[in-house]
Amino acid sequence: MKKYFFAAVSLALLSMFTNSSAKAEPGLRIGDKAPALDIEHWLSLGDDQFKPVKKFEANKVYIVEFWATWCGPCIMSMPHLAELQHQYADKGLQIISVTSDKPAAIAKLLEKEAKNANAPDKTYSDVTQHYCLASDPDESTQADYQDAARQTTIPSAFIVGRDGKIEWIGNPYGMDEPLQQIIEGTWDRQAFAVVFDDEQRVIDLQEQMNLIVQGIDNPNDPSVVAKALLPVVSKYERLITTPRVRQDITATRLDLMLTADPSNPELVTLYKELMANPAISPVFKHDTAWKVYEASMQTEKFNSEILQLSIDVIPSILSQLSEKSQPTVLDTLAHLQHRMGNTKLALETAEKAYQLSGEQPEYASFVKQLKKELSE
């Protein structure tokens, strides 16, 4: 099994459909009026500068953030929330951090030392005193926000604008720039709504893929599954306009086409399009080149043109990657060259990969295989 230096992303949708379950249609989108808060316990009120919130006041900006005591990233982000509250306190910002955990678990966490906090904050209790910390054990607020917007991970944040409408939804680690623009009045809510709606369409696609697979007589045959999924993936690829999201859908279609019929001549056109796109990362291009190699090993009818395209793309991405990554990329190139029948050149490339890796064992086996073939 090849060892990758990156996380493959283009099959993210395909790998998820077997475990996903149908969810309700999204009930909360960008630009919608923010639901009123129904919070049971207010544990801190931002150094007593705030009051409990039910309805959002005009001309104020709110962050409604969801966390849990067992969520490491949630806890690590607490000092940053405190910093944001201090930074924008005079701009009308109020941060409300909500958990559904039991009081005992919350109290235990708040007693712990906050190693990543700024002095003089010693514990997480000290940190969270700077903004509003709340407990909502009946999960009604989570239902109105997290569930309604189909957000399945935490930490998760919702920014409510000065008009009481949802401006932004996402991981709080990525909200600094949107928050600044919302505070300054330069935020393009409509543009972000397009991105968010495309991300919601990906969820719709996952659900439809799940339903399709459930109706297949032989779901253990990858080619059968791929052929069944291609029409719906192609449909959503046409619907989605956000480049980043569309790229993932296009990559998924490529994966499905490779699995359904590696000899399909349309693969060449699609592959050329992806590899020529400068917006696509070199890591993604390498990942795809390796998938092409793997797919070619599953059939004798594989189109050699797409293999050659994979070989041609490697030199262009090699210089864009770190030295640590280069042995893996060269190893991929060696495999592709071998698949095309050029064993001598493949050996030269494989030996270079082996040397650059510091003579790691994982690269030695292919070198040994190629030497044996040339000696026979």
Side-chain angles (χ1 to χ4, degrees):
M1 177 66 70
K2 186 172 183 66
K3 295 185 178 180
Y4 293 96
F5 63 91
F6 51 83
V9 295
S10 62
L11 268 179
L13 298 178
L14 186 58
S15 64
M16 289 174 66
F17 68 79
T18 53
N19 296 319
S20 63
S21 57
K23 304 178 182 68
E25 284 295 314
L28 188 63
R29 286 191 164 96
I30 304 302
D32 287 352
K33 182 179 179 181
L37 297 180
D38 182 23
I39 292 174
E40 190 169 345
H41 304 293
W42 292 85
L43 307 177
S44 67
L45 290 169
D47 299 318
D48 294 325
Q49 63 179 317
F50 299 116
K51 295 179 180 180
V53 176
K54 289 188 176 180
K55 294 184 178 181
F56 299 105
E57 296 180 25
N59 298 317
K60 289 188 63 175
V61 176
Y62 297 84
I63 296 174
V64 181
E65 187 246 9
F66 294 88
W67 69 285
T69 56
W70 46 263
C71 170
C74 302
I75 297 166
M76 291 297 292
S77 71
M78 286 177 169
H80 184 53
L81 293 177
E83 291 172 5
L84 288 176
Q85 184 61 83
H86 281 305
Q87 182 179 353
Y88 294 115
D90 62 346
K91 303 291 185 180
L93 175 67
Q94 182 173 352
I95 297 177
I96 304 165
S97 190
V98 185
T99 180
S100 59
D101 287 348
K102 294 180 180 179
I106 300 171
K108 185 177 179 180
L109 170 67
L110 296 182
E111 291 173 357
K112 292 184 177 180
E113 179 184 359
K115 296 181 180 179
N116 62 328
N118 296 324
D121 294 330
K122 303 297 184 183
T123 66
Y124 286 112
S125 178
D126 296 327
V127 173
T128 56
Q129 285 297 320
H130 301 307
Y131 56 90
C132 296
L133 191 68
S135 172
D136 193 41
D138 69 356
E139 301 184 356
S140 57
T141 305
Q142 176 180 310
D144 289 341
Y145 282 81
Q146 283 280 96
D147 298 347
R150 300 199 293 191
Q151 301 299 292
T152 59
T153 61
I154 54 173
S156 179
F158 296 71
I159 303 180
V160 181
R162 299 187 188 280
D163 59 357
K165 295 181 179 179
I166 301 293
E167 299 276 4
W168 183 89
I169 301 172
N171 189 305
Y173 283 93
M175 72 179 173
D176 284 29
E177 185 175 346
L179 176 61
Q180 180 181 351
Q181 293 179 21
I182 291 165
I183 293 287
E184 295 174 349
T186 61
W187 176 245
D188 190 339
R189 182 167 68 195
Q190 185 174 359
F192 183 73
V194 173
V195 176
F196 183 80
D197 285 347
D198 275 349
E199 291 173 345
Q200 293 290 309
R201 290 188 181 99
V202 172
I203 298 175
D204 293 336
L205 173 57
Q206 292 168 353
E207 294 171 0
Q208 290 199 32
M209 291 169 79
N210 181 55
L211 292 173
I212 289 169
V213 173
Q214 289 178 5
I216 294 175
D217 292 334
N218 187 11
N220 294 321
D221 186 332
S223 64
V224 172
V225 173
K227 289 175 182 177
L229 293 177
L230 266 170
V232 69
V233 170
S234 298
K235 170 189 172 183
Y236 275 86
E237 184 183 9
R238 292 190 296 269
L239 292 174
I240 290 172
T241 60
T242 305
R244 172 181 56 82
V245 182
R246 185 184 177 91
Q247 175 185 311
D248 286 346
I249 304 299
T250 302
T252 299
R253 179 162 67 92
L254 176 66
D255 288 331
L256 292 172
M257 290 174 70
L258 283 168
T259 304
D261 181 10
S263 63
N264 187 339
E266 293 181 15
L267 271 170
V268 175
T269 302
L270 179 59
Y271 194 67
K272 283 182 178 179
E273 175 188 330
L274 284 171
M275 295 301 104
N277 187 344
I280 295 179
S281 73
V283 169
F284 173 86
K285 291 179 180 180
H286 169 265
D287 184 12
T288 307
W290 177 255
K291 289 174 184 173
V292 164
Y293 168 76
E294 287 189 317
S296 75
M297 296 299 290
Q298 304 303 314
T299 178
E300 296 180 358
K301 298 179 180 179
F302 195 81
N303 191 319
S304 61
E305 186 177 356
I306 198 170
L307 276 169
Q308 187 60 51
L309 287 169
S310 299
I311 290 172
D312 294 342
V313 80
I314 296 295
S316 67
I317 67 174
L318 195 60
S319 62
Q320 302 176 48
L321 298 167
S322 66
E323 290 185 7
K324 185 178 180 180
S325 306
Q326 291 185 6
T328 300
V329 179
L330 287 171
D331 184 59
T332 295
L333 178 58
H335 279 79
L336 289 164
Q337 291 167 337
H338 180 246
R339 186 69 177 93
M340 286 288 285
N342 198 335
T343 306
K344 184 178 179 181
L345 183 58
L347 177 58
E348 293 176 7
T349 307
E351 286 180 326
K352 187 175 180 180
Y354 176 59
Q355 293 299 325
L356 286 176
S357 74
E359 299 186 350
Q360 293 293 318
E362 63 186 279
Y363 298 98
S365 59
F366 191 49
V367 171
K368 184 177 179 180
Q369 174 191 330
L370 295 173
K371 286 182 176 179
K372 182 180 179 182
E373 290 182 17
L374 287 171
S375 67
E376 292 176 350

